[in-house]
Amino acid sequence: MARPSDHGRRALLRDILSLGMGAAASGLTQSARADDLRVGAPAPPLVLHTLAGDSIATRDLLGQIVIVTFWASWCGPCLAELPLLSAYAQRHRAQGLAVLGFSLDAPDTLPAVRSMAATLSFPVGLLGSAYAGAYGRIWRIPVSFTIDRRGRLADDGWQDRDPGWTEARLERVVTPLLSGAPMG
């Protein structure tokens, strides 16, 4: 049987831990908003669960340039940009470029996603909801984010008026990162 003083200490410790966990949880909620994305700051982690059953975490890709792209099979601009992004990724894979494709499609459209994914040079998976962690609710597609070799956000797709990939935008945003040159 615990002495009253031990019981009091345990209750106090329990209260302190509860407050600490509550503060940590509220801090996570506040920091897990797309408004908090900052170019040059550590990129929020994401894990792609691929159609092939693999899991690829952005944190495991340190040392590579990573493009995280959000798209859907029913999105015309997405379908126009994906072949361009796929060809660019294939050309620059040896320079350390990785692309992760998150589809916003529902599971009932999986055949269309698989069909599109079969034409791409990068792994694809279903996002599973409209929320992508600290990247926020994906409300506009296509939208992409670029992570540099140190795991820092190099390009915030929410800040681009026209976030779709074009050759010019890839040359402006990604190519300098591949060559080590600063973006400008």
Side-chain angles (χ1 to χ4, degrees), residues 33-60:
R33 295 185 319 221
D35 292 343
D36 294 333
L37 291 175
R38 299 284 177 261
V39 170
L46 276 175
V47 177
L48 177 70
H49 301 287
T50 71
L51 299 178
D54 300 319
S55 293
I56 305 169
T58 54
R59 291 211 168 140
D60 293 339

Side-chain angles (χ1 to χ4, degrees), residues 119-141:
T119 69
L120 302 174
S121 67
F122 53 85
V124 167
L126 296 180
L127 183 58
S129 90
Y131 291 91
Y135 293 89
R137 182 178 172 274
I138 307 300
W139 56 273
R140 171 182 79 181
I141 54 174

Side-chain angles (χ1 to χ4, degrees), residues 72-103:
S73 65
W74 42 263
C75 165
C78 300
L79 298 179
E81 86 165 16
L82 286 171
L84 172 77
L85 184 57
S86 180
Y88 184 86
Q90 194 165 21
R91 281 194 314 271
H92 296 284
R93 180 174 288 127
Q95 291 174 272
L97 178 61
V99 176
L100 302 178
F102 290 84
S103 171

Side-chain angles (χ1 to χ4, degrees), residues 4 9 17 39 54 56 69 74 78 80 93 97 101 107-110 118 137 144 149 151-152 154-155 167 169 174:
R9 277 187 232 145
L17 284 172
V39 170
D54 300 319
I56 305 169
T69 189
W74 42 263
C78 300
R93 180 174 288 127
L97 178 61
D108 62 339
T109 58
L110 190 56
R137 182 178 172 274
S144 298
R149 294 183 195 278
R152 299 191 177 283
D155 183 62
E167 279 294 338
R169 184 164 180 260
V174 183

